[in-house]
Amino acid sequence: MLRSTFAVVERRAEHAVTFFYSHLFWNNPAMRELFPEDMQPQRDRLFAALTHVVTHLESPGLAEYLGQLGRDHRKFLASPALYAAVGSSLLAAFAHAAGAAWSLEAEKAWSEAYGHVADLMLAGAREAARAGEPAWWDADVVRHLRYGEDLAVLTLRPRQPFPFVPGQYVSVSSLRVPRVWRTYSLADAPRADGTLELHVSRIPGGAMSTALVDETGPGETLRLSVPGGGLTARTEPGGLRTYICAGTGWAPVRALLAEAARTEPELKGRLFVVARAKEYLYGRHDVERFRERLDGLSVTYITSAPGHRKDQATERLLQSLRACVHWAAHDVYLAGPPGFLTEVAEVLEELGTAPDRIHHDTLPPVGRFTVRPNTAAERLLGPPPPLWHNPSARAPREP
């Protein structure tokens, strides 16, 4: 019942989500202050979360996912009253969008399902509060380096201990962009001095990335959510692995390599660093430093040829991957733009890598109900736009 009604609503996703927020704010005006001014990304993320729940109804990991989601929603100051209001508006929106497909049985099924979801999320939030975990961490900016015009590396010092695992990401909020949270990967293993590093690429029209790249400086305070993500080390010591990163996907791979350099200097593996052109390899200095510490790590840089389109770098990468062997024996850690992840993961499976050995995070979408192509023909006709960073020089400069 849940899947059949959701399939109808999904075809009118944008209409359903717009109706949902209109219903929520009309009936609960005070709750509008909890949400950002620009609601478009929020609408997309809501439907992405709903889709995840419906497509993983029988998954044993769904309860853990919802508990983590509730833990993370503490940063929004989500109360039981908010959960109840959201449930009421969600059912109203689904009834409106489903039309004739909505019935008393469907309403009962969705009411029970949402109640279960809310209970698991609230339980996750309560567990985090009992453990003494803050709703967010305040972190002071201690360094801000620019790489060209469109990339910044920020060093932060949280005011409280901030536990995380190399490869995870964190949501960031700034007073410059009220009530907006955006996700960035942590670019190092835990440091002795407690500092963190974020790599931020400015996205055209992105309020948060523009604020962090252009406006934020040392002395300012940012908020950090609870860390999340699954791009963490899973390979047994001595196991073969391949790291592939594009753009600021270098950040989580850098964190994984930092951990390996400390705990497994005898690591045997391959690293592919992809950029649209040579001048965009902003992490090359760190790559060479890791190569010196990890004798068994082979490094390949992949860029587009001068004057060629930027997606030629991906084509060159795929050619290089096809020239390599023993893919079935490798764990692969993959980071980069969403379209890049999809295309590379499909080729790795064709080359013999088991799907459960291809590790990458699926981050919340930022676009407006973007659906990735399902076939090679669809990708040819409408390829997803890559979200490359665009620094104009390798060397950092102070703002």
Side-chain angles (χ1 to χ4, degrees):
M1 179 64 71
L2 295 175
R3 287 202 174 105
S4 64
T5 52
F6 188 74
V8 177
V9 173
E10 192 173 23
R11 292 196 290 269
R12 306 183 69 195
E14 185 166 356
H15 176 74
V17 176
T18 300
F19 185 97
F20 163 76
Y21 281 110
S22 299
H23 188 278
L24 180 65
F25 297 150
W26 178 264
N27 290 282
N28 307 274
M31 290 183 179
R32 181 63 181 90
E33 297 181 359
L34 300 177
F35 292 83
E37 181 178 344
D38 180 7
M39 290 296 296
Q40 287 191 181
Q42 184 72 25
R43 292 174 178 139
D44 209 359
R45 288 188 175 93
L46 169 67
F47 212 84
L50 289 170
T51 301
H52 181 91
V53 171
V54 172
T55 56
H56 292 80
L57 289 172
E58 285 86 19
S59 170
L62 181 60
E64 181 182 355
Y65 166 82
L66 291 171
Q68 176 69 18
L69 195 62
R71 178 188 176 203
D72 183 65
H73 270 56
R74 294 178 67 220
K75 71 187 182 215
F76 299 121
L77 303 178
S79 64
L82 176 60
Y83 279 92
V86 165
S88 176
S89 294
L90 187 66
L91 263 64
F94 274 28
H96 184 76
W102 195 253
S103 63
L104 290 176
E105 291 79 9
E107 183 170 354
K108 182 176 184 294
W110 273 103
S111 180
E112 292 177 354
Y114 179 79
H116 186 56
V117 166
D119 287 345
L120 289 171
M121 291 181 65
L122 285 166
R126 287 193 297 269
E127 182 179 348
R130 282 196 298 266
E133 183 177 280
W136 61 73
W137 284 257
D138 288 325
D140 299 316
V141 180
V142 297
R143 193 181 188 195
H144 182 284
L145 294 177
R146 291 283 292 272
Y147 288 79
E149 295 301 320
D150 296 316
L151 183 76
V153 174
L154 282 71
T155 303
L156 313 178
R157 179 174 286 113
R159 297 177 184 175
Q160 297 175 258
F162 185 78
F164 69 95
V165 177
Q168 288 190 305
Y169 57 76
V170 64
S171 291
V172 179
S173 180
S174 168
L175 291 177
R176 293 180 179 273
V177 193
R179 302 183 299 280
V180 172
W181 293 82
R182 291 291 180 266
T183 302
Y184 300 98
S185 293
L186 296 162
D188 207 345
R191 298 172 173 176
D193 64 0
T195 59
L196 313 170
E197 186 174 294
L198 304 178
H199 297 181
V200 182
S201 174
R202 179 168 51 197
I203 304 300
M208 177 63 74
S209 62
T210 299
L212 294 179
V213 172
D214 289 346
E215 303 165 10
T216 303
E220 292 194 41
T221 301
L222 303 176
R223 287 177 173 177
L224 308 179
S225 75
V226 61
L231 188 63
T232 55
R234 308 181 193 183
T235 309
E236 294 294 327
L240 299 174
R241 70 211 72 177
T242 296
Y243 304 94
I244 305 172
C245 59
T248 50
W250 164 240
V253 168
R254 182 182 185 275
L256 293 171
L257 289 173
E259 179 184 38
R262 180 177 59 84
T263 63
E264 194 181 353
E266 69 280 3
L267 175 148
K268 302 290 184 184
R270 307 181 283 224
L271 169 63
F272 294 87
V273 183
V274 185
R276 59 184 297 185
K278 289 182 179 179
E279 59 267 27
Y280 304 140
L281 294 170
Y282 75 97
R284 190 161 191 161
H285 173 76
D286 287 334
V287 172
E288 297 303 322
R289 182 167 57 87
F290 285 126
R291 178 149 57 178
E292 292 175 0
R293 298 171 63 186
L294 299 166
D295 292 337
L297 182 69
S298 67
V299 178
T300 303
Y301 297 103
I302 306 286
T303 65
S304 298
H308 286 66
R309 65 188 190 282
K310 57 190 176 184
D311 60 351
Q312 188 194 47
T314 304
E315 295 174 3
R316 287 184 159 189
L317 168 68
L318 299 180
Q319 292 173 0
S320 296
L321 298 182
R322 291 188 175 101
C324 296
V325 295
H326 306 308
W327 282 110
H330 278 244
D331 283 321
V332 181
Y333 297 88
L334 183 59
F340 174 86
L341 299 182
T342 299
E343 188 169 4
V344 174
E346 290 177 354
V347 171
L348 288 171
E349 290 187 39
E350 293 171 5
L351 294 173
T353 308
D356 62 353
R357 301 189 72 172
I358 302 173
H359 311 301
H360 62 81
D361 274 320
T362 303
L363 299 181
V366 176
R368 192 158 176 78
F369 302 103
T370 301
V371 179
R372 77 172 182 87
N374 291 317
T375 66
E378 289 180 2
R379 284 194 299 275
L380 179 64
L381 294 173
L387 301 177
W388 297 97
H389 63 83
N390 188 32
S392 60
R394 299 182 198 174
R397 60 180 175 83
E398 298 291 347

